[in-house]
Amino acid sequence: MTAGDRFGRRAVIGEGALLLVCSCAIAASAGDDPLLLGFGIGLLGLGWSGTMIAGSTVLTESVSQESRPAVQGLVDLAMGLAGAGGTALAGTVVATVGYPALAWSAAAALLPLPALLLRSRG
């Protein structure tokens, strides 16, 4: 039984998002401390895993059996393109304003998620 089965997919997505925000805050404030930065990056992996797995489950459960491969493929393509574009943008942000600004920007990008999770329950 997965955490999503036990606690609910949206709860796992919410907890994963909270880990991601904590990860961003820790990474942004790590300065030159490699242990603190490593801890932040570790939380990033946990948060990403929770949101990714639970989110994929919500996605596949929300479409018909026949549509699942096409929808999942389209979402995987969109994630790959977003990852590539985000990587290029992240390099530019780090080069111009620094790593903390990148980390805080990533945290800000998560701000709409709680509202979306609450809205989808209704």
Side-chain angles (χ1 to χ4, degrees), residues 37-66:
L37 181 60
F39 180 68
I41 299 300
L43 286 180
L44 173 75
L46 290 173
W48 179 86
S49 294
T51 57
M52 182 69 175
I53 293 168
S56 291
T57 303
V58 169
L59 173 70
T60 58
E61 291 175 344
S62 69
V63 297
S64 69
Q65 183 88 19
E66 305 82 45

Side-chain angles (χ1 to χ4, degrees), residues 15-114:
E15 291 165 3
L18 181 60
L19 286 173
L20 289 171
V21 170
C22 291
S23 163
C24 291
I26 291 168
S29 61
D32 293 331
D33 185 344
L35 292 177
L36 193 55
L37 181 60
F39 180 68
I41 299 300
L43 286 180
L44 173 75
L46 290 173
W48 179 86
S49 294
T51 57
M52 182 69 175
I53 293 168
S56 291
T57 303
V58 169
L59 173 70
T60 58
E61 291 175 344
S62 69
V63 297
S64 69
Q65 183 88 19
E66 305 82 45
S67 300
R68 286 180 186 171
V71 170
Q72 191 66 50
L74 180 61
V75 169
D76 287 348
L77 173 64
M79 283 190 306
L81 292 172
T87 299
L89 181 60
T92 303
V93 170
V94 170
T96 55
V97 290
Y99 188 78
L102 174 67
W104 288 121
S105 298
L110 293 163
L111 291 178
L113 191 55

